[in-house]
């Protein structure tokens, strides 16, 4: 916020990284109070949910469901994760309020995203990341551009993080290199429902059987993840 105040009369770029909600789940108590323990639940999974899933589908810390922790501990961890998310949400809100106060909201591009998704006990006790399941590979992405026609509208099309740089470059009137693998998302920012037949590729090194590492790969279309 201080940097914005000092540079409000000239172009600036801010990369604002928040460590939370990464482990350890630490946040002020008032954010825990938003989530009473009696409202926290563990995701449902059939008893045989893992029977047809190969070992390589699980991260190195997931072969044992819930780390062998008591369910009470898992519920407390989930509550703490929620509290950490709300804590970061409040910090982002402080930045947005500063943009409004400084009169910068109408000429500032804002992109909010996370580097990955997160497991909170799905598939009989998977936690954290390093998986190719939807909960881990899918991540939040919100783009606000003052000149975009579709601000505030949800978009269900498939995009990738490599698209962020060319998108910001076009919105700022810059010319990125020609060899980028990503593409500008400006067409979707103007019309979130237009035709967009793209796929997303995700990969992560998998702990295979007998200690042999396997590169896990996933392709996501609008309907399926393979």
């Amino acid at each position: 916020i201080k940097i914005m105040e000092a540079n409000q009369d000239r172009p600036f770029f801010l990369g604002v990284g928040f460590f939370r909600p990464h482990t350890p789940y630490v946040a002020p108590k008032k954010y825990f109070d938003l989530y009473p323990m009696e409202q926290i639940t563990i995701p449902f999974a059939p008893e045989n949910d893992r029977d047809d899933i190969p070992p390589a589908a699980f991260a190195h810390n997931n072969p044992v469901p819930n780390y062998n922790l008591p369910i009470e501990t898992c519920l407390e961890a989930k509550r703490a994760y929620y509290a950490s998310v709300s804590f970061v949400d409040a910090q982002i809100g402080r930045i947005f309020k500063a943009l409004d106060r400084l009169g910068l909201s109408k000429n500032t591009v804002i992109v909010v995203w996370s580097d990955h998704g997160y497991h909170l006990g799905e598939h009989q006790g998977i936690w954290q990341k390093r998986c190719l399941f939807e909960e881990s590979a899918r991540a939040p992405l919100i783009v606000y551009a003052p000149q975009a026609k579709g601000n505030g509208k949800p978009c269900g099309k498939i995009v990738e993080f490599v698209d962020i740089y060319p998108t910001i470059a076009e919105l700022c009137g810059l010319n990125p290199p020609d060899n980028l693998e990503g593409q500008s998302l400006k067409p979707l920012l103007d019309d979130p429902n237009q035709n967009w037949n793209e796929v997303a590729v995700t990969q992560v090194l998998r702990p295979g059987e007998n200690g042999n590492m396997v590169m896990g790969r996933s392709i996501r279309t609008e309907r399926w993840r393979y």
Side-chain angles (χ1 to χ4, degrees):
I1 292 173
K2 291 180 179 178
I3 293 175
M4 289 193 300
E5 291 172 343
N7 294 275
Q8 58 183 301
D9 297 323
R10 59 181 179 177
F12 62 82
F13 176 92
L14 288 175
V16 185
F18 294 100
F19 189 76
R20 298 288 172 257
H22 199 285
T23 53
Y25 310 131
V26 178
K29 182 179 181 300
K30 67 177 182 179
Y31 298 104
F32 281 77
D33 294 340
L34 297 173
Y35 305 100
M37 276 298 299
E38 59 271 17
Q39 296 181 10
I40 306 299
T41 60
I42 293 296
F44 168 79
E47 289 186 8
N48 61 347
D49 192 29
R50 292 194 177 206
D51 290 355
D52 59 349
I53 301 176
F58 297 102
H60 62 80
N61 56 358
N62 287 142
V64 180
N66 294 320
Y67 302 112
N68 268 341
L69 293 171
I71 292 299
E72 292 76 16
T73 302
C74 295
L75 293 171
E76 291 175 357
K78 189 173 182 180
R79 182 196 188 200
Y81 179 82
Y82 284 174
S84 299
V85 171
S86 291
F87 173 55
V88 168
D89 185 61
Q91 309 319 305
I92 295 174
R94 292 175 60 203
I95 295 175
F96 287 1
K97 287 182 179 179
L99 283 170
D100 290 339
R101 173 171 56 83
L102 297 172
L104 298 173
S105 299
K106 294 183 179 180
N107 63 345
T108 301
V109 176
I110 303 171
V111 184
V112 180
W113 81 97
S114 174
D115 54 343
H116 53 77
Y118 211 75
H119 282 283
L120 293 168
E122 297 85 8
H123 298 288
Q124 287 185 312
I126 297 181
W127 291 81
Q128 303 192 64
K129 51 183 180 180
R130 305 187 191 95
C131 284
L132 292 173
F133 292 114
E134 182 79 354
E135 295 90 353
S136 184
R138 183 179 180 179
L141 175 61
I142 303 171
V143 181
Y144 163 77
Q147 64 268 53
K149 301 176 182 178
N151 281 326
K153 298 179 181 178
C155 178
K157 307 302 180 180
I158 301 299
V159 302
E160 300 180 287
F161 289 152
V162 291
D163 299 328
I164 295 176
Y165 170 35
T167 301
I168 295 177
E170 180 175 0
L171 292 173
C172 294
L174 305 175
N175 296 315
D178 295 330
N179 61 348
L180 297 181
E181 294 194 18
Q183 60 183 315
S184 173
L185 302 178
K186 187 176 184 301
L188 288 179
L189 296 178
D190 290 330
D191 180 9
N193 295 315
Q194 70 169 272
N195 291 330
W196 189 267
N197 298 317
E198 299 296 330
V199 300
V201 178
T202 303
Q203 68 180 66
V204 62
L205 196 60
R206 312 300 315 123
E209 297 182 89
N210 301 320
N212 297 316
M213 303 300 287
V214 177
M215 180 59 74
R217 295 178 174 87
S218 171
I219 298 176
R220 182 68 157 85
T221 68
E222 280 198 33
R223 184 173 182 183
W224 306 107
R225 178 180 297 282
Y226 173 73

